[in-house]
Amino acid sequence: MKKRLLARILFVILLGATLSTTMAGPWHAASPNTYGWRLMTPEEREEHQRRMRSFSSYEACKAYQAEHHALMAERARQAGVPLKPHADSGCERLRAQGRFQ
């Protein structure tokens, strides 16, 4: 009984620590927030994240995002994989964080 309670407490602590660092940290590319994630190589994912963090203007971010979405849509079409758009935009989130001038 004590081991089970201890395991639950540890789980909650670790989950809280993970969420707080994830939420407080910089934007990162991940499956839930990146259009075409499963169609990208690990190297492409890293490059996408680097590019998204590098923009100093919303317009440049949106231009890159449109290019990225077109590429992922084409890959999905060729693979016969459905690809649904995300409800929110990485550029919108970055703008809300004050990342653009």
Side-chain angles (χ1 to χ4, degrees), residues 9-10 25 33 35 44 53 77:
I9 291 170
L10 183 58
N33 69 7
Y35 187 73
E44 288 174 319
R53 288 181 176 173
R77 187 191 65 74

Side-chain angles (χ1 to χ4, degrees), residues 12-48:
V12 169
I13 291 170
L14 290 174
L15 180 63
T18 301
L19 288 176
S20 68
T21 57
T22 301
M23 298 302 196
W27 181 88
H28 65 281
S31 177
N33 69 7
T34 303
Y35 187 73
W37 176 265
R38 67 179 189 246
L39 300 169
M40 299 167 70
T41 66
E43 294 79 17
E44 288 174 319
R45 292 172 184 160
E46 286 181 28
E47 176 62 14
H48 175 70

